[in-house]
Amino acid sequence: MTGHDECKLKFVELKAKRNYRFIIFKIEDQEVVVEKLGSPYETYEDFTESLPANECRYVVYDFDFITDENCQKSKIFFIAWSPDTSKVRSKMVYASSKDRFKRELDGIQVELQATDPSEMSLDIIKERALKLKCGLTMMELSSKVGAPLGLTFMTIECEDVISTRLTIFQDIQEGTIEELIIYRKKDMQDAKNGLRNLGFS
């Protein structure tokens, strides 16, 4: 399932021109279409009140925040809204179409999935935005954990928190895929210990 051309056009306007605070998308007749455009002056509360309580939606939200260094920043969030009270079929359709649609929106910086308003509260949005500032490169991470051949890294850049998936290829660890998820830099030692337990020095 692909997005209507208007979806990409409005996203570019949000990203480049900041014409909108948020865009709400819905799936209609096997296509993702724009349902609502939030003006730059609308608040986060205005946005959350625009979401249907019992139906799934995709959202792009342009979040402004101030860093610990007192710098004004913004991050573009992609939010998959799938409330517990929505229909099972709707949840399945939105879940299966999400990644393909998101790839059409070049410039998404943070992804969030929510089944309840508490999972996308303003505090959570702020926390996620502040985490994703700068951070370890793949090479730096590789040297820290002593990565063997066959280990791949998918790294989200961050400051004090890192979300990194380490995947050992299927043909290396007895035909299985082993994964470690590192959430904080302080957990690097845990990652090294985990790799050692999997047979890597």
Side-chain angles (χ1 to χ4, degrees):
M1 186 177 300
T2 61
H4 190 276
D5 288 344
E6 184 189 20
C7 296
K8 288 174 276 189
L9 175 62
K10 296 304 180 184
F11 175 76
V12 170
E13 291 179 358
L14 177 146
K15 181 177 70 171
K17 301 179 181 179
R18 308 202 74 187
N19 287 354
Y20 315 108
R21 175 61 58 194
F22 61 87
I23 307 172
I24 297 177
F25 305 95
K26 68 176 181 179
I27 295 177
E28 187 174 78
D29 297 328
Q30 302 298 311
E31 188 174 45
V32 183
V33 299
V34 173
E35 181 178 50
K36 179 173 180 176
L37 301 170
S39 78
Y41 307 105
E42 293 195 58
T43 66
Y44 192 75
E45 184 177 356
D46 293 330
F47 151 63
T48 55
E49 290 179 351
S50 299
L51 289 173
N54 303 313
E55 297 179 21
C56 300
R57 291 293 187 269
Y58 301 134
V59 181
V60 170
Y61 189 88
D62 186 10
F63 180 66
D64 292 327
F65 63 99
I66 297 178
T67 68
D68 296 337
E69 295 78 25
N70 204 34
C71 296
Q72 182 73 39
K73 299 282 187 180
S74 67
K75 294 291 182 184
I76 297 178
F77 278 72
F78 181 92
I79 302 173
W81 171 240
S82 181
D84 289 331
T85 52
S86 58
K87 295 180 179 179
V88 173
R89 177 171 174 77
S90 176
K91 292 179 184 179
M92 293 175 60
V93 170
Y94 274 81
S96 62
S97 305
K98 175 177 66 70
D99 289 341
R100 182 174 180 180
F101 174 62
K102 191 181 69 172
R103 284 195 295 268
E104 296 182 15
L105 307 179
D106 184 23
I108 297 295
Q109 295 166 294
V110 188
E111 181 180 344
L112 187 66
Q113 298 190 49
T115 62
D116 180 86
S118 64
E119 296 177 352
M120 49 180 283
S121 67
L122 187 56
D123 287 342
I124 289 176
I125 295 293
K126 288 179 179 177
E127 180 184 7
R128 291 291 302 274
L130 287 168
K131 286 178 182 177
L132 296 166
K133 292 189 290 185
C134 61
L136 299 177
T137 64
M138 292 184 186
M139 184 175 296
E140 288 171 335
L141 178 61
S142 177
S143 66
K144 283 181 179 292
V145 299
L149 294 177
L151 196 66
T152 60
F153 301 89
M154 293 183 289
T155 304
I156 300 175
E157 293 186 351
C158 56
E159 187 167 280
D160 61 327
V161 176
I162 188 164
S163 177
T164 301
R165 183 179 297 275
L166 295 82
T167 304
I168 300 173
F169 285 150
Q170 192 166 5
D171 61 347
I172 286 188
Q173 185 68 15
E174 297 181 355
T176 63
I177 295 177
E178 300 286 350
E179 294 181 328
L180 300 172
I181 309 298
I182 304 173
Y183 290 107
R184 298 181 184 277
K185 289 183 182 179
K186 69 180 181 61
D187 293 335
M188 281 295 178
Q189 187 59 48
D190 292 339
K192 294 173 69 175
N193 292 338
L195 289 172
R196 193 171 296 115
N197 292 337
L198 290 172
F200 298 100
S201 59

